[in-house]
Every structure is written in structure tokens, then in C-alpha cells.
Amino acid sequence: MSNQLEDFSKWYIETIQKADLMDYTPVRGCIAFKPDGYEIWEHIQEAMDRRFKETGHRNAYFPMLIPESFFQKEKDHIEGFSPELPWVTEAAGEQLEERLALRPTSETMIGHLYSNWIKSYRDLPVLINQWANVFRWEKKTLPFIRTSEFLWQEGHTAHVDEEDARKETMQMLDIYKEVVEQVLAIPVYDGQKTPSERFAGAVDTYSIEAMMKNGKAVQAGTSHYLGTKFAEAFNIKYLNKANQHEYVHTTSWGTSTRLIGSVIMVHGDEQGLVLPPRIAPTQVVLIPVGPWKKNPQIMEQLDEIFAALKAKGIRVRLDDSDQSPGFKFNEWELKGVPVRIELGPRDLENNQALLMARDEDEKQTIDLSHVVTAIEEELTTMQTRLLEKARQFRDANTHTTIDTLPQLQQHIETAKDNGTIPGWVLAGWCGEDTCEEKVKEETKYTTRNIPFNPPTTKTTCICCGNEAKHTVWFAQAY
Ligand SMILES: [Zn+2]
């Protein structure tokens, strides 16, 4: 396995391939999700979907092909997405009258339909989510993090007024933050995007931002208040209580399979994946060690533990293949299985088993009578521990005392010379696009978001030195 810090990308690609999460296909930028990769997504989906439904949303499905004329209706939207749209121009041997885009997102199709579905204030709010694939023909791709086709969920809601729509926008951002922190064990900063980083067609975009182990940022989820822009473009009006026509206010919000990539880049180590228990396809692996084939009692005992864990709904595997224990340890470590239980003749004699947590260095000795409880406890504490470790790493790599562009350049240079991570920088910004652009050009650092709860507040712009309107996270981003 490649050294993680020396060549992070190489480490990442090797890790996801060896852990059997994905494979490349002949279509550039389009990957296959293998079962272990897909199951991580399924557990993320379960966590999200449950919360969507608890807050009144329902799932629906919309077509993948979108007529070109739909995109022309919202000017910012087409400008933002047209460079990366793949088109269907021919079907059944004939040229289509109007070419159809493979959806990059579904605001336009859904806007068209909502204009028919929504007639009166009684129809509102409309709270719909879609689990689907989308296409954005990217020049530079990286499995899970940025691919030409990816899986995601997109919520699309319509409301009577701005207040209700903004409440929804924030509610969904909070749900994203909760899932990413509590289920994926990734700490995030929630905040507002600057205008240049806004979703094409949004009034306001909010995001959660996560730090990877190489210090780069990943936008882990976004929630948009769309105002009446799509309502006006698609004529989505309702009759209010005073019997007058009004435009609805809409929102959209999304998270995607890049969360899989984020989990790997946040928790993984030199031995491979480290998966938070809540999303691990296999949470516990049982491995017989020593001359176990001559001791039928070992397998009997392991079968018993296996059945007890299974009965509790824990995802457990028993590895009784004829590979050596050392080989098996490496394999399951590579796959990031949270807890490993070893049982050999001597352990059995002492009425104990060994428990190894994927993210720790020391094995624990567990009394056989408590083994199931001990595993349950370890899965719970590991989940919290991973979040805490990631938080410590992030906090150690965020910098809040860099206040000028030369200081930032110096900081990046020093990190390069020392082989350390430059990480994120919290700095002031005057609100001018030109300053944002200049920082990007000179350092590749872009604005990530204007955090709701910054560690400190900045008073001068990092670029021009004028009064800062906002305190912003700057980072290199995927
Ligand atoms: Zn400035």
C-alpha cells in the first residue's frame, strides 16, 4: 500500500480497489460500485431516508431525460450546467426533434410538473425527494469523489412563502450535518456559500464542509433556497387564501456518493479502510486462530457468538477459510471491518477471546461470557471515537491566524517544505468577487463556506485588507 501522506491520490485509488469497493469501466468517468461499495451507500441512504420521512418528505421518481427547452427557461441554471451536459440526439435510428439531456439535477423537470400539481395553498407544502443517478461530464474524475455519473438524492420542495422555504432549507442542512457527523463520523462546518460558489439558479446555497486527511475540503452536502426563480421560470403558482395567484418558493438539497469517498479519505489509514460501525458492510469478523481445525470446540464457540450477534442485528462474518490468520487479519483490516474477534485453543482454555478494534493498536482480552456485550460496546465507542479523532485532526489542521495573502502563500510554502498539510484557513473577506478570484489564482484556495459558528471572527479581508464583511473558510477543495 502506498504511503498515505506521500501520495494521497495513489493511496486512495489503491485502497478502494484492494478493498473491492469499485471498478473502472470502459466509459470514462463512470465507475461500477461493487457490493461492498454499494452497501456503504445503502447504509448512508437508510440513515438519510429515515430522517427525510420523519420530517414529512416522501420519495418519488422523475425521468432521467430532460428536454433542452426546459434548461433554457432558467438563465443561471443553463449557464451553470450546460458545459457538463451529455445529450441524447438520436433514438431508434432517427434524429430527435429536440435533444434530451441526461439530467445533471432535476429542478427543471420537477418545476414543469409542479406547475401542474400545485393549484392552491391547500396543496402546499410539497415535500418530495428522489433517489437517482445524475450526470455531469467532468474533465477530471476521481472515483466516488467526482465521476461523470453518480448516485445521489435530490429533495425538491415548494412552499407558500419565503419563511417556510428558508426553514426547510435549514432543516435539511441540519439533517445532513447530523447524518454526516453521527453516522459517517465526519465533523463538518455548516455555513453559507459565497455567491460565486452558489448552485446555478439558487438565491442562497448552504453547505457542510469536511476535511480529508490530506487537508483538502469536500463539500459533503448542499441545501438551496431557490426563491421564486424556478417558480417564475416554470409558472408554479397557487391560489392563496385571499384567492390571489402567488408564486411558490422552492428549495432543493442534495447529497451524493461522494460521501463514500469522504469516509475513506477521512478515516482510512496505511492499512486500508477504517469504516465507522454504522455504515460498515461487515461490522464484526470472527477468526479462528492456532490449530483450530483440531479443536472442534473453537468453531462451536464461534458459531455461538455468530448466532448471538446475528440475532442482535449486527452484521457479522465468520472467516473459516484455509488462509493463514495473518492473511485474514490483513484482508479484513484492508476492508475496514470495525471489530475483529480472535479465538484459539489457548484462549478457549482461559475462557477468553481477543478483540481488536480497527482503529486501535492494542488487542483487548474479553471474557467469553461477555463477548457479545463487549462487541456491542466497542461498536458504539468506536463510532464516537472516530468522530473525535477526525475532529482532533481537523482542528489541528485549521489555521485562524493567517490574515494576508503573502502570509497564506508563505504558509503553503512552509507546509510543502516540511511535508505537512497546509489545511484550512479561516480568514476575513470583503465580499468582492475579485478578491476571492485572486486568492484562488495565487494559492488554489477557494472559499468553502461562511461558517455559522466560526472559531473566531475576522475583521480584515485576506486579499485587499479592507474591512471584512464575512469570516470565511478557505481551502483547496475536491
Ligand atoms: Zn477584499
Side-chain angles (χ1 to χ4, degrees), residues 430 435 461 464:
C430 63
C435 282
C461 176
C464 66

Side-chain angles (χ1 to χ4, degrees), residues 7 27 107 115 191 211 278 385:
D7 192 340
V27 186
E107 277 77 5
S115 71
M211 184 189 286
R278 287 191 178 144
R385 193 167 63 227

Side-chain angles (χ1 to χ4, degrees), residues 90-309:
E90 190 188 314
E94 280 176 37
Q95 285 292 119
L96 298 178
E97 273 177 38
E98 179 179 10
R99 58 181 186 158
L100 304 168
L102 297 183
R103 65 179 161 216
T105 177
S106 301
E107 277 77 5
T108 57
M109 176 59 81
I110 290 175
H112 167 78
L113 291 162
Y114 280 8
S115 71
N116 296 326
W117 297 357
I118 298 166
K119 296 294 172 210
S120 136
Y121 68 89
R122 293 184 195 89
D123 300 326
L124 295 169
V126 174
L127 306 173
I128 286 181
N129 175 65
Q130 161 169 253
W131 290 99
N133 60 339
V134 283
F135 294 83
R136 296 179 188 177
W137 224 249
E138 304 278 359
K139 289 204 176 74
K140 224 178 139 191
T141 62
L142 186 62
F144 299 125
I145 293 288
R146 176 170 283 109
T147 47
S148 297
E149 179 189 13
F150 57 93
L151 305 179
W152 81 343
Q153 60 70 213
E154 48 180 322
H156 295 272
T157 68
H159 305 261
V160 287
D161 58 18
E162 173 167 356
E163 191 191 347
D164 202 44
R166 283 197 179 272
K167 222 159 76 187
E168 167 80 6
T169 310
M170 288 306 151
Q171 172 184 259
M172 301 326 286
L173 191 72
D174 286 346
I175 287 178
Y176 288 164
K177 184 174 178 181
E178 183 183 301
V179 171
V180 172
E181 293 195 333
Q182 303 309 317
V183 181
L184 280 69
I186 299 175
V188 293
Y189 273 105
D190 48 353
Q192 184 170 5
K193 286 284 187 185
T194 65
S196 74
E197 296 273 335
R198 244 181 230 151
F199 173 75
V203 173
D204 284 312
T205 288
Y206 302 87
S207 73
I208 50 171
E209 303 281 335
M211 184 189 286
M212 307 298 105
K213 266 195 176 164
N214 62 351
K216 280 198 180 183
V218 162
Q219 177 178 288
T222 50
S223 187
H224 319 287
Y225 169 60
L226 304 172
T228 55
K229 287 171 102 172
F230 285 89
E232 287 172 41
F234 290 91
N235 199 32
I236 318 171
K237 280 184 181 166
Y238 71 99
L239 268 182
N240 66 18
K241 286 183 183 171
N243 224 23
Q244 291 155 332
H245 284 286
E246 270 191 71
Y247 284 119
V248 297
H249 290 248
T250 63
T251 81
S252 67
W253 27 276
T255 54
S256 74
T257 36
R258 76 183 338 212
L259 287 174
I260 300 172
S262 306
V263 164
I264 297 154
M265 287 189 175
V266 167
H267 301 298
D269 64 18
E270 303 273 321
Q271 277 69 50
L273 304 183
V274 176
L275 293 177
R278 287 191 178 144
I279 55 163
T282 302
Q283 294 170 310
V284 182
V285 61
L286 309 176
I287 300 179
V289 297
W292 57 277
K293 285 186 182 161
K294 294 182 203 143
N295 282 269
Q297 277 176 302
I298 289 176
M299 279 310 285
E300 276 166 31
Q301 185 65 52
L302 286 177
D303 281 338
E304 208 175 286
I305 299 170
F306 181 90
L309 290 172

